[in-house]
Amino acid sequence: MIGSSVLVLNQNYEPLNVCNARRAFVLVDRGKAEVLEHGLGHLRTATHAFALPSVIRLIYLIKRPRPQMRLSRREVFNRDRYTCQYCGRRGQRDLTLDHVVPRHRGGRHTWDNLVTACKTCNHRKAGRTPQEAKMALAKLPHQPRVNSYYVVYPYLHNEEGWRKFIPGWEAAEGYS
């Protein structure tokens, strides 16, 4: 129970982080946060039993830069909606990453140079640019924006009590 997840909200109720119940209890005990909602279970000491928090809000506003989306295979597929950017074929099988400008020609491994491609199109394009291979991209690659839901998105389906603190969480599907 002490390792259960706790939603941490900034002073303005913006989702900030997810921590474990032990860390949340320390923040509340030191007066740095307040409990908005209790979860299941209790933390027992020799003389007291404290309800474990589920959602806490920090007392002071924390300013921090927006999180950056990690560049990974899954995130590129998610950005492109599991669709080949050359032929439009959809599906989760037989998809690969393609460098628009091939790496051996100076192309970088960045958001702006990676697209989702099916194996057939990736093989057909080979080590050429799309113009040389006479293949058109459905849309230009870009780095997706990250909103505040990116941090809590993996937890929303299991933690139903958090949903009322995250307005519009249904629209966060795909978070891009």
Side-chain angles (χ1 to χ4, degrees):
M1 286 294 187
I2 197 75
S4 61
S5 300
V6 177
L7 175 63
V8 180
L9 301 175
N10 212 343
Q11 184 189 25
N12 60 359
Y13 291 89
E14 179 185 19
L16 197 64
N17 195 8
V18 176
C19 70
N20 61 26
R22 176 185 215 118
R23 174 72 177 139
F25 188 76
V26 169
L27 288 170
V28 171
D29 188 53
R30 291 189 177 167
K32 296 183 178 189
E34 63 181 345
V35 178
L36 297 180
E37 189 165 304
H38 292 284
L40 301 173
H42 290 81
L43 175 65
R44 299 188 187 281
T45 66
T47 57
H48 291 89
F50 300 98
L52 288 177
S54 175
V55 179
I56 63 172
R57 182 178 77 99
L58 297 178
I59 301 297
Y60 301 103
L61 184 67
I62 303 295
K63 291 185 179 181
R64 67 180 185 135
R66 292 277 177 216
Q68 295 291 319
M69 179 88 64
R70 282 190 213 117
L71 178 59
S72 69
R73 180 181 197 86
R74 189 183 72 185
E75 296 298 347
V76 173
F77 290 165
N78 193 27
R79 176 198 67 188
D80 294 340
R81 300 191 191 318
Y82 291 90
T83 304
C84 175
Q85 295 302 296
Y86 296 108
C87 69
R89 190 179 332 172
R90 294 186 51 93
Q92 294 186 354
R93 299 181 62 130
D94 296 331
L95 290 179
T96 61
L97 290 181
D98 179 53
H99 291 85
V100 177
V101 177
R103 293 186 78 174
H104 74 276
R105 294 176 125 187
R108 312 258 338 244
H109 190 74
T110 61
W111 282 105
D112 299 332
N113 195 40
L114 285 170
V115 294
T116 302
C118 64
K119 285 183 180 179
T120 306
C121 290
N122 202 349
H123 184 69
R124 190 173 131 217
K125 181 180 165 285
R128 301 175 288 179
T129 64
Q131 293 81 17
E132 293 170 348
K134 294 182 176 56
M135 298 173 74
L137 283 168
K139 63 180 181 178
L140 293 175
H142 65 283
Q143 181 171 359
R145 289 180 161 178
V146 177
N147 58 26
S148 57
Y149 303 115
Y150 181 67
V151 174
V152 297
Y153 179 76
Y155 300 92
L156 286 178
H157 293 289
N158 296 332
E159 301 287 346
E160 292 184 22
W162 295 5
R163 294 178 185 173
K164 63 184 167 191
F165 296 101
I166 303 174
W169 72 273
E170 299 90 357
E173 294 289 329
Y175 48 80
S176 59

